[in-house]
Amino acid sequence: QQTLDDHFPNQNLTVVFAASRDKDWMQMLTLLWKRASRLILTAYRENPRALPIDELYGAAQQLVATDGRAGCSIESAEHPSAAWNLARSAASNNDVILATGSFFLAAEIMAKLEA
């Protein structure tokens, strides 16, 4: 969170997030939730360790319920490429889009960008 604040102060942050079920994804989600203005949840397709979207979405809804912070929208997309498109669709030139949570997610998004 501090790194994002240091490098992108006062900029809207859209986060595309997917994680492996055997990682500390809840801690990652909580930290990102504190900084993001928009959170787009997805699951990568090329690895069976991917955490299902419904589990991620449920955890994010719990953060909303317990934190009550207004302003961070939570969305989901079935595929990483759809999540990336969703992130780009509403981003301005000054916004930051961060795809994070797993190298598996990054690889699938990079393949889309290189196509």
Side-chain angles (χ1 to χ4, degrees), residues 13 19 33 63 76 100 103:
L13 175 66
W33 160 257
L63 287 173
S76 63
T100 191
F103 285 116

Side-chain angles (χ1 to χ4, degrees), residues 70-87:
C72 182
S73 69
I74 301 171
E75 302 163 67
S76 63
E78 195 67 29
H79 298 280
S81 60
W84 183 257
N85 290 339
L86 190 58

Side-chain angles (χ1 to χ4, degrees), residues 3 7 11-12 15 17-18 29 41-43 49 54-55 59 66 70 76 87 91 93-94 98 103 106 110:
T3 300
H7 292 282
Q11 288 179 278
N12 286 328
V15 175
F17 182 72
L29 183 64
L41 307 172
T42 191
R49 292 175 29 219
D54 58 341
E55 214 171 313
T66 57
S76 63
N93 289 340
N94 294 325
L98 172 66
F103 285 116
M110 288 298 296

Side-chain angles (χ1 to χ4, degrees), residues 91-105:
S92 74
N93 289 340
N94 294 325
D95 292 346
V96 174
I97 300 173
L98 172 66
T100 191
S102 173
F103 285 116
F104 299 116
L105 173 65

Side-chain angles (χ1 to χ4, degrees), residues 26 30 33 58-69:
M26 190 62 196
T30 301
W33 160 257
Q61 293 295 57
Q62 279 298 111
L63 287 173
V64 171
T66 57
D67 185 343
R69 181 175 71 96

